Amino acid sequence: MFKNLTYEVSEGIATITFIREKALNALNNETVNELEKAISRIKEEKVRVLVFKGKGRAFIAGADITEFKGRTTAETKAFSLVLQRVLNEIELLPIPVIASINGFCLGGGNELAMACDLRIASTKALFGQPEIKLGIIPGAGGTQRLPRLVGKTVAKEIIFLGDNISPERALSIGLVNKVVKPEELDSAVSELAKRLAKGPGFALAQAKEAIDRGSEMSWLDAIQMESNIFSLCFSHEDMNEGVSAFLEKRKAQFK
Ligand code: CO8
């Protein structure tokens, strides 16, 4: 069904793997369209966790630069809006989304990784927003998500200079959650995905929404929203199971 990515579901965990290996998984128009279709399938199916991977030496080396030349301002804006919409859709999925970052994670690739909830990197990963070197700026949410994740000071350095960021630095600035040896990346991601898939899906979705929406609200609105969502959790069977399991000194079995 797809040419530039694969979509698999196993044990409630969906995996989207970018396979445009020869172009270091650069996001061309076709890949972005396929990605949007794959995200629609996630919404329709009973998936509990989504994992993104890249085949070969890259996670994603950015938007496809070979499609840039000759693009008009209107065409560029349309492409930027499509990619922004797809990344927003990923961010708004009511399930945990993990980026498994094996290699180059640049430009639009880093922007996609930042739209995920958690990022696990191999020691071979390299991050960056190199757009400035092409005479442009990040156009798929990078100027907004990066400062929200790492602060304005560091984000400006990364975007102004466009230099590659090592996995160790990415970890130290809070861009990734964990760095592991390349041969341990798949097992580290799979362990995390399985653990999240067994977790209380409703509470996880609520926690995600509270964190993501709350960070865009005033303090009083955000804390009010937290209280609303917290109390909503008390009407869900996950809470009944979690609290009963604690009181009965057994392991919770969330449905
Ligand atoms: N686009 C198209 N092709 C690419 C890209 C890319 N982003 N990155 C790599 N490739 C291709 C290369 O052209 C090469 O193809 P070929 O074999 O046909 O010559 C192949 O992948 C392998 O790449 P290299 O030979 O260059 O491999 P190296 O190991 O020497 O270098 C690098 C790897 C450092 C990753 C290098 O390829 C590179 O610098 N790539 C470009 C990285 C970049 O600048 N990314 C940002 C792109 S701009 C962007 O993402 C903006 C997003 C905003 C979205 C909205 C816009 C409208």
Side-chain angles (χ1 to χ4, degrees):
M1 183 180 176
F2 299 122
K3 195 171 123 198
N4 303 294
L5 53 86
T6 61
Y7 173 88
E8 294 158 325
V9 181
S10 164
E11 297 175 49
I13 301 166
T15 304
I16 293 176
T17 308
F18 296 99
I19 55 168
R20 218 177 151 235
E21 206 179 334
K22 277 193 183 155
L24 300 180
N25 302 323
L27 296 171
N28 59 358
N29 259 319
E30 195 179 47
T31 309
V32 173
N33 291 337
E34 291 185 5
L35 178 59
E36 188 158 35
K37 287 193 184 114
I39 300 300
S40 313
R41 278 178 66 176
I42 306 260
K43 289 184 193 161
E44 287 159 15
E45 291 173 18
K46 282 193 177 169
V47 170
R48 298 178 67 87
V49 177
L50 168 62
V51 175
F52 281 107
K53 287 183 178 184
K55 193 170 179 217
R57 294 196 291 134
F59 177 66
I60 297 167
D64 191 318
I65 302 169
T66 63
E67 291 184 347
F68 281 14
K69 264 213 143 175
R71 242 187 208 161
T72 63
T73 302
E75 286 164 348
T76 306
K77 177 129 190 223
F79 183 65
S80 165
L81 289 176
V82 170
L83 202 45
Q84 286 184 359
R85 184 180 70 220
V86 178
L87 300 196
N88 287 344
E89 281 173 19
I90 293 169
E91 199 168 59
L92 288 171
L93 286 172
I95 54 171
V97 182
I98 306 169
S100 172
I101 303 160
N102 51 315
F104 296 111
C105 181
L106 304 172
N110 196 45
E111 290 173 306
L112 188 149
M114 290 192 293
C116 299
D117 300 305
L118 301 165
R119 288 160 287 281
I120 310 293
S122 129
T123 50
K124 280 196 178 161
L126 268 185
F127 300 82
Q129 296 292 157
E131 289 88 344
I132 208 79
K133 294 182 175 170
L134 300 167
I136 57 173
I137 69 165
T143 60
Q144 304 309 308
R145 286 198 178 90
L146 188 61
R148 281 166 172 76
L149 277 178
V150 304
K152 269 192 194 180
T153 308
V154 176
K156 282 182 180 167
E157 179 197 328
I158 292 172
I159 291 173
F160 287 3
L161 299 178
D163 288 340
N164 285 345
I165 310 287
S166 70
E168 294 73 25
R169 173 121 200 264
L171 184 64
S172 76
I173 60 177
L175 185 57
V176 299
N177 297 85
K178 196 174 180 178
V179 178
V180 297
K181 290 182 190 154
E183 62 274 20
E184 289 168 6
L185 182 62
D186 280 347
S187 58
V189 170
S190 159
E191 204 177 294
L192 177 62
K194 282 184 181 157
R195 184 169 164 192
L196 289 167
K198 280 191 197 136
F202 182 77
L204 282 166
Q206 301 313 309
K208 175 167 174 169
E209 191 177 330
I211 294 167
D212 286 343
R213 274 182 48 205
S215 58
E216 303 304 322
M217 289 177 171
S218 73
W219 171 258
L220 284 179
D221 287 344
I223 213 77
Q224 177 72 51
M225 177 201 56
E226 184 192 73
S227 176
N228 292 341
I229 295 184
F230 175 71
S231 38
L232 190 64
C233 289
F234 276 64
S235 65
H236 196 272
E237 61 182 307
D238 279 353
M239 179 270 184
N240 192 27
E241 170 58 11
V243 173
S244 300
F246 175 80
L247 296 174
E248 291 160 22
K249 299 191 186 306
R250 62 174 173 82
K251 216 166 174 234
Q253 297 287 334
F254 297 108
K255 283 189 191 142

